[in-house]
Amino acid sequence: MRLPGRLGPLRSTPLAARPPGRVRAGPAAGRRAFSRGRLGGTMAEEAKRLAACAAVDKHVQNNQVLGIGSGSTIVHAVHRLAERVKQENLTIVCIPTSFQARQLILQNGLTLSDLDRHPELDVAIDGADEVDSDLNLIKGGGGCLTQEKIVAGYAKCFIVIADYRKKSKSLGEQWKKGIPIEVIPMAYVPVTRALTKNFGGAAELRMAVSKAGPVVTDNGNFILDWKFDKVHEWSKVNAAIKMIPVEFLILGEVRRGVSRTASSDFWRADFGLFRSLVDRVPWEAVLKGKAVQEDWTFFRKEILKAQEQAVPTCQKMSQQGRRPAWQNRELWLKLREKRRIYDLWKKEQATQENYKDVVRLCREKLEGPKPN
């Protein structure tokens, strides 16, 4: 029996029965080992390609806005999407989740857009680093997790492409690099301490390979890889991590140029009551099956409800609402008149000359000497 290429004939003789000198280590043996590894890699790559093509063929339709994820699997999805757009003359708008995704969209001749122009998506397609039996995902191995979550959160349908290597019974069985958490650079030390204190394990700052220092995301942030040491209730952990740190401010009304702000007084907060109220919520049952935006809305509502009961507020004063000292009443009245004439001009109830006269008077007043 002979395999294609340079592998040569396969021998069925047991290794122990071969005469001395027949087992050789050299360039040929190295080539054979490399070829076997390459075949295994090809199988995995083919599995990713097939999964990506199936996702695009099944879920992408004409006149859709698509969220394009990041990672090696998405490369196959974008290639298949480009083929369908060309063959079927589809009208598809693509929203990227990273610089890599943006380049893929442009290189394949697809229509690039953003959330400003298309804030609601039909489908978001992305990969994953690991998927457990409850469909919990670990994402962010490629460092694009924040934008991926944002885009997925505004999609009506979120499709995850994963081959057989990503499947596990519990998170952490296949993916050994930890859960990626994107943090603002100034906060990575306190967030690291909070993670290990509350949930155990170890959180490490992800370091770059081709540059000195840490990995920096497309958003200018750092990434912590949290290697947990036990199986958690991931819905609760996810909610708790988002609460590091917790800070609420409720803006009050502005009266007489003075801003009153009702601020949470954490010095007098009953954190035991707060924790008890949060623990009473059946997070897993309530959030299961909901989209990311629905999850966030419910989560925010429950946290604010618990805050109202456990965290008192105090009034703070600020002078931000006051006019500058040089803006006296006369100038203020002229500016109001200018605004009034402008509105009338837009309604064709005043002439452009009227408006120009008011603008000139205001400019003269502004350019005059300011009182000490």
Side-chain angles (χ1 to χ4, degrees):
M1 176 181 177
R2 182 180 293 272
L3 288 180
R6 302 177 60 184
L7 289 177
L10 293 178
R11 305 179 186 276
S12 59
T13 309
L15 185 62
R18 295 177 188 174
R22 292 289 299 277
V23 180
R24 293 190 293 270
R31 283 195 297 271
R32 285 195 289 272
F34 175 76
S35 298
R36 285 194 293 271
R38 185 169 57 188
L39 285 173
T42 302
M43 289 177 61
E45 200 64 27
E46 181 65 10
K48 289 198 294 186
R49 189 188 70 81
L50 291 174
C53 291
V56 172
D57 290 344
K58 184 175 181 180
H59 297 284
V60 176
Q61 301 174 10
N62 193 24
N63 296 317
Q64 283 187 329
V65 179
L66 299 184
I68 303 297
S70 308
S72 58
T73 305
I74 295 302
V75 175
H76 299 295
V78 173
H79 288 167
R80 177 55 185 157
L81 177 62
E83 288 177 358
R84 286 196 58 196
V85 167
K86 186 175 181 180
Q87 293 169 1
E88 303 173 34
N89 196 27
L90 301 179
T91 300
I92 300 293
V93 175
C94 299
I95 311 296
T97 58
S98 64
F99 178 82
Q100 179 220 17
R102 183 180 185 277
Q103 295 304 105
L104 277 173
I105 293 168
L106 294 175
Q107 290 167 4
N108 285 272
L110 298 170
T111 302
L112 176 69
S113 188
D114 51 43
L115 290 176
D116 291 341
R117 287 173 285 184
H118 295 88
E120 186 172 317
L121 289 73
D122 296 294
V123 179
I125 299 178
D126 209 341
D129 299 308
E130 189 175 25
V131 184
D132 73 3
S133 56
D134 294 323
L135 297 184
N136 294 309
L137 309 178
I138 291 181
K139 289 181 54 58
C144 307
L145 55 161
T146 298
Q147 293 188 35
E148 288 174 346
K149 291 182 75 173
I150 291 172
V151 170
Y154 290 101
K156 298 175 184 176
C157 180
F158 181 41
I159 306 300
V160 175
I161 305 171
D163 60 65
Y164 64 94
R165 300 170 302 162
K166 309 296 179 68
K167 183 180 179 181
S168 65
K169 184 177 180 181
S170 301
L171 294 183
E173 289 182 1
Q174 301 288 346
W175 181 258
K176 304 296 184 181
K177 299 180 181 180
I179 295 178
I181 301 169
E182 185 166 344
V183 296
I184 297 173
M186 65 170 289
Y188 88 90
V189 171
V191 171
T192 300
R193 295 180 62 186
L195 277 171
T196 54
K197 178 182 178 181
N198 295 330
F199 306 110
E204 300 175 356
L205 182 64
R206 187 183 297 184
M207 304 304 291
V209 176
S210 299
K211 67 174 279 289
V215 169
V216 179
T217 70
D218 290 353
N219 310 305
N221 296 325
F222 292 166
I223 292 180
L224 297 175
D225 290 306
W226 173 45
K227 298 179 180 178
F228 50 92
D229 52 7
K230 62 180 180 180
V231 177
H232 294 269
E233 292 185 47
W234 294 116
S235 58
K236 290 185 177 181
V237 171
N238 184 48
I241 289 176
K242 292 177 181 178
M243 295 286 290
I244 305 174
V246 183
E247 190 173 46
F248 297 99
L249 286 178
I250 305 171
L251 294 179
E253 60 180 346
V254 178
R255 293 181 181 173
R256 297 181 182 178
V258 178
S259 174
R260 291 180 178 270
T261 303
S263 176
S264 298
D265 187 357
F266 288 101
W267 291 105
R268 297 188 294 128
D270 186 345
F271 287 105
L273 174 60
F274 184 88
R275 182 183 294 274
S276 175
L277 293 171
V278 171
D279 287 342
R280 290 178 193 172
V281 181
W283 296 105
E284 188 170 358
V286 174
L287 299 180
K288 191 172 184 179
K290 287 186 170 60
V292 176
Q293 187 62 29
E294 292 179 281
D295 285 350
W296 168 245
T297 302
F298 179 84
F299 169 78
R300 182 175 180 273
K301 178 182 176 182
E302 292 300 321
I303 292 299
L304 288 175
K305 190 187 300 182
Q307 178 204 355
E308 289 177 0
Q309 299 182 50
V311 184
T313 59
C314 58
Q315 296 292 325
K316 292 185 177 180
M317 304 286 290
S318 73
Q319 303 298 320
Q320 295 177 356
R322 291 188 175 178
R323 297 193 302 270
W326 55 267
Q327 188 176 333
N328 55 32
R329 181 171 178 79
E330 182 182 355
L331 176 57
W332 180 70
L333 290 173
K334 288 186 180 298
L335 291 173
R336 282 191 61 181
E337 178 66 9
K338 173 189 169 186
R339 180 66 192 183
R340 188 181 71 82
I341 298 297
Y342 176 80
D343 291 338
L344 292 174
W345 174 41
K346 285 297 182 182
K347 296 176 183 178
E348 298 183 353
Q349 297 177 7
T351 65
Q352 188 176 13
E353 286 71 21
N354 295 143
Y355 177 65
K356 286 183 177 179
D357 289 341
V358 177
V359 170
R360 179 178 52 79
L361 291 173
C362 289
R363 186 178 294 117
E364 290 175 355
K365 187 65 179 176
L366 281 169
E367 291 174 353
K370 298 177 183 178
N372 295 326

Short mmCIF file of all heavy atoms in Angstrom, two decimals, residues 282-328:
data_model
loop_
_atom_site.label_atom_id
_atom_site.label_comp_id
_atom_site.label_asym_id
_atom_site.label_seq_id
_atom_site.Cartn_x
_atom_site.Cartn_y
_atom_site.Cartn_z
N PRO A 282 -33.69 34.53 40.07
CA PRO A 282 -33.32 33.28 39.37
C PRO A 282 -32.67 33.59 38.03
O PRO A 282 -33.27 33.42 36.96
CB PRO A 282 -34.67 32.57 39.21
CG PRO A 282 -35.67 33.68 39.14
CD PRO A 282 -35.15 34.77 40.03
N TRP A 283 -31.43 34.06 38.08
CA TRP A 283 -30.75 34.56 36.88
C TRP A 283 -30.76 33.56 35.73
O TRP A 283 -31.08 33.90 34.60
CB TRP A 283 -29.31 34.96 37.22
CG TRP A 283 -29.19 36.08 38.19
CD1 TRP A 283 -28.85 36.01 39.50
CD2 TRP A 283 -29.44 37.47 37.92
NE1 TRP A 283 -28.86 37.26 40.07
CE2 TRP A 283 -29.21 38.18 39.12
CE3 TRP A 283 -29.83 38.18 36.79
CZ2 TRP A 283 -29.36 39.55 39.22
CZ3 TRP A 283 -29.97 39.55 36.88
CH2 TRP A 283 -29.74 40.22 38.08
N GLU A 284 -30.37 32.33 36.04
CA GLU A 284 -30.21 31.35 34.97
C GLU A 284 -31.53 31.07 34.26
O GLU A 284 -31.61 31.02 33.04
CB GLU A 284 -29.64 30.05 35.54
CG GLU A 284 -29.25 29.04 34.48
CD GLU A 284 -28.47 27.87 35.04
OE1 GLU A 284 -28.18 27.87 36.26
OE2 GLU A 284 -28.14 26.97 34.27
N ALA A 285 -32.59 30.93 35.05
CA ALA A 285 -33.90 30.63 34.45
C ALA A 285 -34.44 31.82 33.66
O ALA A 285 -35.02 31.66 32.59
CB ALA A 285 -34.88 30.23 35.55
N VAL A 286 -34.24 33.01 34.19
CA VAL A 286 -34.81 34.20 33.55
C VAL A 286 -34.05 34.58 32.28
O VAL A 286 -34.65 34.98 31.28
CB VAL A 286 -34.82 35.39 34.55
CG1 VAL A 286 -35.27 36.66 33.85
CG2 VAL A 286 -35.74 35.09 35.72
N LEU A 287 -32.72 34.46 32.32
CA LEU A 287 -31.91 34.92 31.19
C LEU A 287 -31.77 33.89 30.09
O LEU A 287 -31.33 34.22 28.99
CB LEU A 287 -30.52 35.32 31.68
CG LEU A 287 -30.47 36.46 32.71
CD1 LEU A 287 -29.03 36.75 33.11
CD2 LEU A 287 -31.12 37.72 32.16
N LYS A 288 -32.12 32.65 30.37
CA LYS A 288 -31.93 31.60 29.37
C LYS A 288 -32.79 31.85 28.14
O LYS A 288 -33.98 32.10 28.22
CB LYS A 288 -32.28 30.24 29.98
CG LYS A 288 -31.86 29.06 29.11
CD LYS A 288 -32.06 27.75 29.84
CE LYS A 288 -31.55 26.58 29.00
NZ LYS A 288 -31.72 25.29 29.71
N GLY A 289 -32.16 31.79 26.98
CA GLY A 289 -32.88 31.93 25.73
C GLY A 289 -33.10 33.36 25.28
O GLY A 289 -33.65 33.59 24.21
N LYS A 290 -32.66 34.33 26.07
CA LYS A 290 -32.85 35.74 25.69
C LYS A 290 -31.63 36.25 24.94
O LYS A 290 -30.52 35.74 25.09
CB LYS A 290 -33.08 36.60 26.94
CG LYS A 290 -34.46 36.42 27.57
CD LYS A 290 -34.65 37.43 28.69
CE LYS A 290 -36.09 37.46 29.21
NZ LYS A 290 -36.53 36.20 29.74
N ALA A 291 -31.84 37.29 24.15
CA ALA A 291 -30.74 37.94 23.45
C ALA A 291 -29.92 38.76 24.43
O ALA A 291 -30.35 39.03 25.55
CB ALA A 291 -31.27 38.84 22.33
N VAL A 292 -28.74 39.17 24.00
CA VAL A 292 -27.83 39.89 24.89
C VAL A 292 -28.45 41.19 25.38
O VAL A 292 -28.36 41.54 26.56
CB VAL A 292 -26.49 40.18 24.16
CG1 VAL A 292 -25.58 41.02 25.04
CG2 VAL A 292 -25.80 38.88 23.79
N GLN A 293 -29.12 41.92 24.48
CA GLN A 293 -29.71 43.19 24.87
C GLN A 293 -30.83 42.99 25.88
O GLN A 293 -30.98 43.77 26.84
CB GLN A 293 -30.24 43.93 23.63
CG GLN A 293 -30.71 45.34 23.90
CD GLN A 293 -29.60 46.24 24.42
OE1 GLN A 293 -28.44 46.03 24.10
NE2 GLN A 293 -29.94 47.23 25.22
N GLU A 294 -31.63 41.94 25.71
CA GLU A 294 -32.68 41.64 26.68
C GLU A 294 -32.07 41.27 28.02
O GLU A 294 -32.57 41.66 29.08
CB GLU A 294 -33.55 40.49 26.16
CG GLU A 294 -34.40 40.82 24.95
CD GLU A 294 -35.20 39.61 24.50
OE1 GLU A 294 -34.62 38.74 23.83
OE2 GLU A 294 -36.39 39.53 24.82
N ASP A 295 -30.98 40.47 27.98
CA ASP A 295 -30.28 40.11 29.22
C ASP A 295 -29.85 41.36 29.97
O ASP A 295 -30.04 41.49 31.18
CB ASP A 295 -29.04 39.27 28.90
CG ASP A 295 -29.40 37.85 28.52
OD1 ASP A 295 -30.58 37.48 28.69
OD2 ASP A 295 -28.52 37.12 28.05
N TRP A 296 -29.25 42.30 29.23
CA TRP A 296 -28.72 43.50 29.86
C TRP A 296 -29.84 44.35 30.44
O TRP A 296 -29.72 44.89 31.55
CB TRP A 296 -27.91 44.31 28.85
CG TRP A 296 -27.58 45.69 29.34
CD1 TRP A 296 -28.01 46.86 28.82
CD2 TRP A 296 -26.77 46.03 30.46
NE1 TRP A 296 -27.52 47.92 29.54
CE2 TRP A 296 -26.75 47.44 30.56
CE3 TRP A 296 -26.06 45.29 31.39
CZ2 TRP A 296 -26.06 48.11 31.55
CZ3 TRP A 296 -25.36 45.97 32.39
CH2 TRP A 296 -25.36 47.36 32.45
N THR A 297 -30.95 44.48 29.73
CA THR A 297 -32.07 45.28 30.22
C THR A 297 -32.62 44.71 31.52
O THR A 297 -32.86 45.44 32.49
CB THR A 297 -33.18 45.34 29.15
OG1 THR A 297 -32.64 45.89 27.94
CG2 THR A 297 -34.34 46.20 29.62
N PHE A 298 -32.81 43.40 31.55
CA PHE A 298 -33.33 42.76 32.77
C PHE A 298 -32.32 42.88 33.91
O PHE A 298 -32.67 43.19 35.06
CB PHE A 298 -33.66 41.29 32.49
CG PHE A 298 -34.16 40.55 33.69
CD1 PHE A 298 -35.50 40.60 34.04
CD2 PHE A 298 -33.30 39.82 34.49
CE1 PHE A 298 -35.97 39.94 35.17
CE2 PHE A 298 -33.76 39.15 35.61
CZ PHE A 298 -35.09 39.21 35.95
N PHE A 299 -31.05 42.62 33.59
CA PHE A 299 -30.00 42.69 34.60
C PHE A 299 -29.93 44.09 35.22
O PHE A 299 -29.89 44.25 36.44
CB PHE A 299 -28.66 42.32 33.93
CG PHE A 299 -27.46 42.60 34.77
CD1 PHE A 299 -27.10 41.77 35.81
CD2 PHE A 299 -26.67 43.72 34.53
CE1 PHE A 299 -26.00 42.03 36.59
CE2 PHE A 299 -25.57 43.99 35.30
CZ PHE A 299 -25.23 43.14 36.33
N ARG A 300 -29.95 45.11 34.38
CA ARG A 300 -29.87 46.49 34.86
C ARG A 300 -31.07 46.83 35.75
O ARG A 300 -30.93 47.48 36.79
CB ARG A 300 -29.79 47.43 33.67
CG ARG A 300 -29.64 48.90 34.03
CD ARG A 300 -29.44 49.73 32.77
NE ARG A 300 -29.30 51.14 33.09
CZ ARG A 300 -30.31 51.98 33.23
NH1 ARG A 300 -31.55 51.53 33.07
NH2 ARG A 300 -30.09 53.25 33.52
N LYS A 301 -32.25 46.39 35.33
CA LYS A 301 -33.46 46.68 36.08
C LYS A 301 -33.40 46.07 37.48
O LYS A 301 -33.73 46.73 38.48
CB LYS A 301 -34.68 46.13 35.32
CG LYS A 301 -36.00 46.33 36.04
CD LYS A 301 -37.14 45.70 35.24
CE LYS A 301 -38.46 45.81 35.99
NZ LYS A 301 -39.56 45.15 35.23
N GLU A 302 -32.95 44.82 37.58
CA GLU A 302 -32.90 44.15 38.87
C GLU A 302 -31.82 44.75 39.78
O GLU A 302 -32.01 44.89 40.99
CB GLU A 302 -32.63 42.65 38.66
CG GLU A 302 -33.77 41.90 38.00
CD GLU A 302 -35.06 41.98 38.82
OE1 GLU A 302 -34.98 41.90 40.06
OE2 GLU A 302 -36.13 42.12 38.21
N ILE A 303 -30.69 45.12 39.19
CA ILE A 303 -29.62 45.71 39.99
C ILE A 303 -30.04 47.07 40.53
O ILE A 303 -29.80 47.41 41.70
CB ILE A 303 -28.33 45.84 39.15
CG1 ILE A 303 -27.78 44.45 38.84
CG2 ILE A 303 -27.28 46.66 39.89
CD1 ILE A 303 -27.41 43.62 40.04
N LEU A 304 -30.68 47.88 39.70
CA LEU A 304 -31.16 49.19 40.16
C LEU A 304 -32.23 49.04 41.24
O LEU A 304 -32.29 49.83 42.18
CB LEU A 304 -31.71 49.99 38.97
CG LEU A 304 -30.67 50.52 37.98
CD1 LEU A 304 -31.35 51.18 36.80
CD2 LEU A 304 -29.72 51.50 38.66
N LYS A 305 -33.06 48.01 41.10
CA LYS A 305 -34.09 47.77 42.10
C LYS A 305 -33.44 47.42 43.45
O LYS A 305 -33.85 47.91 44.50
CB LYS A 305 -35.00 46.62 41.64
CG LYS A 305 -36.24 46.44 42.50
CD LYS A 305 -37.01 45.19 42.09
CE LYS A 305 -37.46 45.26 40.64
NZ LYS A 305 -38.25 44.05 40.28
N ALA A 306 -32.41 46.57 43.40
CA ALA A 306 -31.70 46.21 44.64
C ALA A 306 -30.96 47.41 45.20
O ALA A 306 -30.88 47.61 46.42
CB ALA A 306 -30.74 45.06 44.35
N GLN A 307 -30.43 48.24 44.32
CA GLN A 307 -29.70 49.43 44.77
C GLN A 307 -30.61 50.39 45.54
O GLN A 307 -30.22 50.95 46.56
CB GLN A 307 -29.09 50.15 43.57
CG GLN A 307 -28.34 51.43 43.95
CD GLN A 307 -28.27 52.40 42.79
OE1 GLN A 307 -28.69 52.07 41.69
NE2 GLN A 307 -27.75 53.57 43.03
N GLU A 308 -31.82 50.56 45.04
CA GLU A 308 -32.76 51.48 45.69
C GLU A 308 -33.04 51.07 47.13
O GLU A 308 -33.24 51.91 48.01
CB GLU A 308 -34.07 51.53 44.90
CG GLU A 308 -33.95 52.25 43.57
CD GLU A 308 -35.25 52.21 42.79
OE1 GLU A 308 -36.23 51.63 43.32
OE2 GLU A 308 -35.30 52.75 41.67
N GLN A 309 -33.05 49.75 47.38
CA GLN A 309 -33.36 49.27 48.73
C GLN A 309 -32.14 49.20 49.64
O GLN A 309 -32.27 49.35 50.85
CB GLN A 309 -33.99 47.87 48.63
CG GLN A 309 -35.28 47.83 47.85
CD GLN A 309 -35.88 46.44 47.81
OE1 GLN A 309 -36.03 45.79 48.85
NE2 GLN A 309 -36.22 45.97 46.61
N ALA A 310 -30.96 48.98 49.06
CA ALA A 310 -29.79 48.73 49.90
C ALA A 310 -28.80 49.88 49.96
O ALA A 310 -27.98 49.94 50.88
CB ALA A 310 -29.06 47.47 49.39
N VAL A 311 -28.86 50.80 49.00
CA VAL A 311 -27.87 51.87 48.95
C VAL A 311 -28.58 53.22 49.07
O VAL A 311 -29.30 53.62 48.15
CB VAL A 311 -27.05 51.82 47.63
CG1 VAL A 311 -25.96 52.89 47.65
CG2 VAL A 311 -26.45 50.44 47.43
N PRO A 312 -28.39 53.94 50.17
CA PRO A 312 -29.00 55.26 50.30
C PRO A 312 -28.32 56.27 49.39
O PRO A 312 -27.22 56.03 48.88
CB PRO A 312 -28.78 55.61 51.78
CG PRO A 312 -27.56 54.84 52.16
CD PRO A 312 -27.60 53.56 51.36
N THR A 313 -28.96 57.40 49.18
CA THR A 313 -28.39 58.44 48.33
C THR A 313 -28.12 59.69 49.16
O THR A 313 -28.70 59.90 50.23
CB THR A 313 -29.34 58.80 47.17
OG1 THR A 313 -30.58 59.25 47.72
CG2 THR A 313 -29.56 57.61 46.27
N CYS A 314 -27.22 60.51 48.65
CA CYS A 314 -26.93 61.79 49.28
C CYS A 314 -26.90 62.86 48.20
O CYS A 314 -26.59 62.57 47.04
CB CYS A 314 -25.60 61.74 50.04
SG CYS A 314 -24.18 61.32 49.00
N GLN A 315 -27.21 64.08 48.57
CA GLN A 315 -27.27 65.19 47.61
C GLN A 315 -25.91 65.87 47.53
O GLN A 315 -25.27 66.14 48.53
CB GLN A 315 -28.33 66.21 48.04
CG GLN A 315 -29.74 65.66 48.03
CD GLN A 315 -30.22 65.36 46.63
OE1 GLN A 315 -29.88 66.06 45.68
NE2 GLN A 315 -31.01 64.31 46.49
N LYS A 316 -25.48 66.12 46.30
CA LYS A 316 -24.24 66.86 46.07
C LYS A 316 -24.54 68.08 45.22
O LYS A 316 -25.41 68.06 44.37
CB LYS A 316 -23.20 65.97 45.38
CG LYS A 316 -22.68 64.84 46.26
CD LYS A 316 -21.57 64.09 45.57
CE LYS A 316 -21.01 63.00 46.47
NZ LYS A 316 -19.92 62.25 45.81
N MET A 317 -23.78 69.13 45.46
CA MET A 317 -23.99 70.38 44.73
C MET A 317 -22.82 70.61 43.78
O MET A 317 -21.68 70.26 44.07
CB MET A 317 -24.06 71.56 45.71
CG MET A 317 -25.11 71.40 46.79
SD MET A 317 -26.77 71.65 46.16
CE MET A 317 -26.71 73.40 45.86
N SER A 318 -23.11 71.18 42.65
CA SER A 318 -22.05 71.59 41.74
C SER A 318 -22.45 72.90 41.10
O SER A 318 -23.62 73.28 41.08
CB SER A 318 -21.82 70.52 40.65
OG SER A 318 -22.87 70.54 39.73
N GLN A 319 -21.48 73.59 40.56
CA GLN A 319 -21.73 74.91 39.96
C GLN A 319 -21.72 74.84 38.44
O GLN A 319 -21.58 75.85 37.77
CB GLN A 319 -20.64 75.89 40.43
CG GLN A 319 -20.55 76.01 41.94
CD GLN A 319 -21.83 76.54 42.55
OE1 GLN A 319 -22.46 77.44 42.00
NE2 GLN A 319 -22.22 75.99 43.70
N GLN A 320 -21.85 73.61 37.89
CA GLN A 320 -21.71 73.47 36.45
C GLN A 320 -22.80 74.17 35.67
O GLN A 320 -22.64 74.53 34.52
CB GLN A 320 -21.69 71.98 36.08
CG GLN A 320 -20.47 71.26 36.64
CD GLN A 320 -20.51 69.79 36.32
OE1 GLN A 320 -21.47 69.29 35.76
NE2 GLN A 320 -19.46 69.08 36.68
N GLY A 321 -23.97 74.38 36.29
CA GLY A 321 -25.08 74.97 35.56
C GLY A 321 -25.03 76.48 35.48
O GLY A 321 -25.84 77.08 34.78
N ARG A 322 -24.12 77.14 36.18
CA ARG A 322 -24.09 78.60 36.19
C ARG A 322 -23.45 79.17 34.94
O ARG A 322 -22.54 78.58 34.37
CB ARG A 322 -23.32 79.09 37.42
CG ARG A 322 -24.08 78.82 38.72
CD ARG A 322 -23.40 79.48 39.89
NE ARG A 322 -24.18 79.33 41.10
CZ ARG A 322 -23.80 79.77 42.28
NH1 ARG A 322 -22.65 80.40 42.40
NH2 ARG A 322 -24.57 79.59 43.33
N ARG A 323 -23.93 80.35 34.55
CA ARG A 323 -23.34 81.02 33.40
C ARG A 323 -21.98 81.60 33.77
O ARG A 323 -21.74 81.95 34.93
CB ARG A 323 -24.26 82.15 32.92
CG ARG A 323 -25.61 81.70 32.44
CD ARG A 323 -26.30 82.83 31.70
NE ARG A 323 -26.47 84.01 32.51
CZ ARG A 323 -27.52 84.24 33.28
NH1 ARG A 323 -28.51 83.36 33.33
NH2 ARG A 323 -27.62 85.35 33.98
N PRO A 324 -21.07 81.72 32.79
CA PRO A 324 -19.80 82.39 33.07
C PRO A 324 -20.03 83.82 33.55
O PRO A 324 -21.03 84.45 33.20
CB PRO A 324 -19.09 82.37 31.71
CG PRO A 324 -19.77 81.30 30.92
CD PRO A 324 -21.18 81.25 31.42
N ALA A 325 -19.07 84.32 34.31
CA ALA A 325 -19.23 85.66 34.90
C ALA A 325 -19.36 86.74 33.83
O ALA A 325 -20.08 87.72 34.00
CB ALA A 325 -18.04 85.96 35.81
N TRP A 326 -18.66 86.56 32.70
CA TRP A 326 -18.69 87.60 31.67
C TRP A 326 -19.98 87.58 30.85
O TRP A 326 -20.27 88.51 30.12
CB TRP A 326 -17.49 87.44 30.73
CG TRP A 326 -17.36 86.07 30.10
CD1 TRP A 326 -16.65 85.02 30.56
CD2 TRP A 326 -17.99 85.63 28.89
NE1 TRP A 326 -16.78 83.93 29.75
CE2 TRP A 326 -17.61 84.29 28.70
CE3 TRP A 326 -18.85 86.22 27.96
CZ2 TRP A 326 -18.04 83.53 27.62
CZ3 TRP A 326 -19.28 85.47 26.88
CH2 TRP A 326 -18.87 84.14 26.72
N GLN A 327 -20.77 86.49 30.97
CA GLN A 327 -22.02 86.42 30.21
C GLN A 327 -23.13 87.08 31.04
O GLN A 327 -23.89 86.43 31.73
CB GLN A 327 -22.36 84.96 29.90
CG GLN A 327 -23.55 84.83 28.94
CD GLN A 327 -23.83 83.40 28.55
OE1 GLN A 327 -22.94 82.59 28.56
NE2 GLN A 327 -25.06 83.09 28.22
N ASN A 328 -23.22 88.41 30.94
CA ASN A 328 -24.19 89.14 31.76
C ASN A 328 -25.60 89.01 31.17
O ASN A 328 -25.82 88.41 30.12
CB ASN A 328 -23.78 90.61 31.88
CG ASN A 328 -23.58 91.25 30.51
OD1 ASN A 328 -24.26 90.89 29.55
ND2 ASN A 328 -22.65 92.18 30.43
#
